[in-house]
Every structure is written in structure tokens, then in C-alpha cells.
């Protein structure tokens, strides 16, 4: 077993753990991610990315890589626990 000095260990490589580890690496910190799963999930964990998430992708230098797998939707229906639907229009060119 080799020994390596790390600055940070991130437990869990979900959306939050993954972007956190990316930010830490961009700051020059030696970062290790530990996750119980050895393979990426077979189905996506998120169904939409809001503007704040997009800014995080941009700041982490991932926007070009993710642009090929993300697509714009015109609207999205949200169903709450009461099975009521709300429709939120997507912002195409927010001011």
C-alpha cells in the first residue's frame, strides 16, 4: 500500500461531493473522493440544472464538457406531495 499525503478527503461523489472535490482541486488541494459505488449510477440523479448550478459548472471549468450532454427544456412540471402540479417557464435569456 502506498502512502500519499492528502489535504482533504471527500466522502460521497454525488453532485455535491463531486463539485466540492473539483473546487478543492482547482485550489491546488490534494483531494481524494471516497464513494461506496465503484461505477457511476446507471440513471441520472438530477433531472434539471438551474442557473446557480450552471454557474457552478462554469466556475469549475466543466461547462464545455457538460454542454454535450445537457439540453435546454422549455418548461418543467413539478409535482408536490399532494400531487399538485406547478409549471415554471425556463428562462431563455434572463436579464
Amino acid at each position: 500500500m502506498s502512502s500519499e499525503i492528502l489535504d482533504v478527503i471527500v466522502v460521497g461523489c454525488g453532485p455535491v461531493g463531486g463539485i466540492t472535490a473539483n473546487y478543492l482541486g482547482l485550489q491546488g488541494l490534494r483531494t481524494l473522493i471516497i464513494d461506496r459505488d465503484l461505477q457511476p449510477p446507471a440513471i441520472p440523479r438530477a433531472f434539471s440544472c438551474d442557473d446557480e448550478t450552471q454557474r457552478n459548472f462554469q466556475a469549475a471549468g466543466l461547462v464545455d464538457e457538460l454542454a454535450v450532454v445537457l439540453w435546454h427544456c422549455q418548461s418543467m412540471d413539478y409535482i408536490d406531495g399532494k400531487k399538485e402540479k406547478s409549471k415554471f417557464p425556463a428562462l431563455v435569456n434572463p436579464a
Side-chain angles (χ1 to χ4, degrees):
M1 182 173 162
S2 67
S3 63
E4 183 176 337
I5 296 176
L6 299 168
D7 297 308
V8 179
I9 296 175
V10 176
V11 179
C13 192
V16 173
I19 199 73
T20 299
N22 192 289
Y23 278 140
L24 293 168
L26 288 172
Q27 295 300 314
L29 296 172
R30 294 163 296 195
T31 306
L32 173 69
I33 300 174
I34 298 175
D35 195 270
R36 68 176 162 215
D37 297 321
L38 298 176
Q39 300 294 323
I43 58 173
R45 294 183 186 177
F47 64 91
S48 69
C49 298
D50 64 9
D51 57 330
E52 190 64 31
T53 302
Q54 293 289 343
R55 282 192 286 277
N56 276 299
F57 291 154
Q58 184 178 23
L62 299 172
V63 101
D64 291 336
E65 186 174 338
L66 291 174
V68 297
V69 294
L70 298 177
W71 62 89
H72 177 76
C73 66
Q74 296 299 319
S75 67
M76 187 173 303
D77 293 333
Y78 291 89
I79 310 295
D80 64 17
K82 298 176 186 176
K83 301 196 188 296
E84 295 176 2
K85 180 171 78 170
S86 298
K87 193 168 226 153
F88 297 95
L91 297 175
V92 177
N93 291 316

